[in-house]
Amino acid sequence: MQVWRGAGEVPADLGPTVATLGIFDGVHRGHQVVLAATVAEAEAAGLTSVAVTFDPHPATVHRPEEPFVLISSLTDRLERLAGTGVDAVLVLEYTLEFARSTPEEFVRRYLVDLLHAHVVVVGEDVRFGRANTGDRRTMAELGRRLGFGVEIIEDIAHPETGRRWSSTWVRELLAEGDVAGAAHVLGRPHRVRGVVVHGAKRGRELGYPTANLHADDLGVVPADGVYAGWLIRPEHAPHDGTSKRLPAAISVGTNPTFHGVERTVEAYVLGRTDLDLYGEEVVVELVERLRPMVAFDGIPALLDQMADDVIRSAQILGVPAPQVPTPQVPAKPAPAPRAPDRR
């Protein structure tokens, strides 16, 4: 799949295309239906299929004071778009100036003049142009006037609940810690991506060394708890029996047993104590929630639970359970820090 980061990277000799547009945050099942229709239309006509997306998200541009986190990073979004079979993705920088374009100005400049769209495929909830004033009816009218066909894809809903597939639904499920439910809407497990940093190294002392990621920098992180999942090393070349995709037990939260305050994502690769991942970008894929995050009364109780977490993670992921490690720490965690005496 070709990636064009801005209009200037689109080839001058690009022929007619079948185009679609959207943020595609998460590239969930609803997005996949629209993208599949785009690819099918292009293949039937012998044309190039192009998805137009935007970065950063419009919400962060129009309402920078409000917290907003993407379900998936641009890197993961592009990876998922590649998996749908589209030939190319055009990433347009979203700015306040860009947002001032009328629906017709946007369509003329990017879909007609730049991409030579023969057909434009959109979902029925499409919005584009200044103040989102363009909709599916606008697109159909512009298609008639400017000479391109328009295919409207009706919303596809969950066959049992009747709820439409949406990024909002994914966010709600992740806020509840229901990563299995989110995976059903997304069509694959939810993932976060970040660089491994140094932590307090308590996991190593306990016999469970973890790859630590700061939760603030990862995208949408699910509710605090312990999860079964995978640690993926995108840039790692497998050799000597190692793998890019490693089974893991994943902790999300502040480590309440040790009175932590910083929220982190910590992934323990099952049975592995030899990995040096500091400074490496990794992907953590969350498959199923095991339990909520709780504070334990002493390290022995915590270790018993961690051993159970590892066994259950192995069962869920379909891999052999590793041996339980031997800890090298005292039986009680350090006491909570006291407030300074200001008398």
Side-chain angles (χ1 to χ4, degrees):
M1 183 187 78
Q2 298 181 69
V3 178
W4 304 321
R5 297 179 185 270
E9 293 191 6
V10 176
D13 60 351
L14 178 67
T17 69
V18 177
T20 187
L21 64 147
I23 301 297
F24 303 118
D25 188 20
V27 195
H28 56 64
R29 290 183 186 271
H31 297 143
Q32 291 166 31
V33 172
V34 174
L35 291 158
T38 303
V39 171
E41 184 79 29
E43 290 179 346
L47 304 178
T48 301
S49 56
V50 182
V52 180
T53 191
F54 310 93
D55 185 65
H57 194 287
T60 66
V61 175
H62 292 289
R63 299 180 297 279
E65 73 285 355
E66 297 180 12
F68 183 88
V69 181
L70 287 165
I71 294 171
S72 56
S73 66
L74 180 60
T75 298
D76 285 315
R77 195 189 329 168
L78 292 173
E79 183 177 311
R80 295 307 185 187
L81 287 170
T84 68
V86 294
D87 296 313
V89 175
L90 170 60
V91 183
L92 294 176
E93 182 183 8
Y94 193 93
T95 64
L96 289 175
E97 181 180 359
F98 175 86
R100 295 188 187 101
S101 299
T102 66
E104 181 168 345
E105 288 170 342
F106 168 77
V107 168
R108 278 186 179 275
R109 179 177 180 184
Y110 295 104
L111 300 185
V112 176
D113 295 342
L114 184 66
L115 297 180
H116 316 298
H118 178 68
V119 176
V120 175
V121 181
V122 292
E124 64 178 355
D125 63 343
V126 66
R127 292 292 185 276
F128 59 97
R130 183 186 302 157
N132 278 339
T133 51
D135 59 14
R136 59 178 182 169
R137 295 178 183 82
T138 311
M139 188 67 79
E141 171 59 25
L142 290 171
R144 285 190 290 270
R145 289 201 290 109
L146 301 179
F148 60 85
V150 177
E151 182 178 350
I152 308 294
I153 306 299
E154 295 184 1
D155 280 343
I156 307 298
H158 188 286
E160 296 178 3
T161 67
R163 182 170 182 177
R164 64 184 292 269
W165 307 112
S166 69
S167 300
T168 298
W169 192 4
V170 174
R171 293 173 186 279
E172 291 174 0
L173 291 167
L174 293 175
E176 297 167 359
D178 186 0
V179 294
H184 186 59
V185 180
L186 290 168
R188 83 262 161 205
H190 176 61
R191 53 171 47 182
V192 295
R193 180 188 295 261
V195 175
V196 178
V197 298
H198 288 275
K201 295 184 172 56
R202 294 194 188 96
R204 184 169 298 279
E205 294 174 345
L206 293 168
Y208 298 90
T210 59
N212 300 329
L213 308 175
H214 288 307
D216 291 343
D217 305 324
L218 304 180
V220 178
V221 175
D224 290 2
V226 176
Y227 299 82
W230 301 89
L231 184 142
I232 303 167
R233 306 175 70 184
E235 304 303 323
H236 177 68
H239 64 282
D240 298 333
T242 61
S243 173
K244 293 177 66 171
R245 186 177 178 85
L246 303 165
I250 302 151
S251 171
V252 177
T254 60
N255 290 315
T257 300
F258 296 95
H259 320 295
V261 294
E262 184 177 23
R263 193 164 185 251
T264 60
V265 174
E266 302 182 23
Y268 164 64
V269 176
L270 305 188
R272 298 292 295 271
T273 60
D274 59 325
L275 296 173
D276 183 2
L277 303 175
Y278 293 121
E280 182 176 331
E281 183 182 68
V282 300
V283 171
V284 175
E285 204 167 72
L286 299 119
V287 173
E288 186 173 320
R289 193 183 197 211
L290 304 180
R291 61 176 175 86
M293 182 64 66
V294 297
F296 290 88
D297 184 18
I299 289 179
L302 171 62
L303 288 171
D304 288 343
Q305 183 60 65
M306 290 174 72
D308 183 67
D309 294 338
V310 167
I311 292 171
R312 290 182 60 200
S313 294
Q315 291 171 341
I316 290 167
L317 301 173
V319 300
Q323 291 185 336
V324 176
T326 302
Q328 302 175 5
V329 295
K332 292 184 179 181
R338 294 183 178 181
D341 188 348
R342 301 187 182 278
R343 291 178 295 176

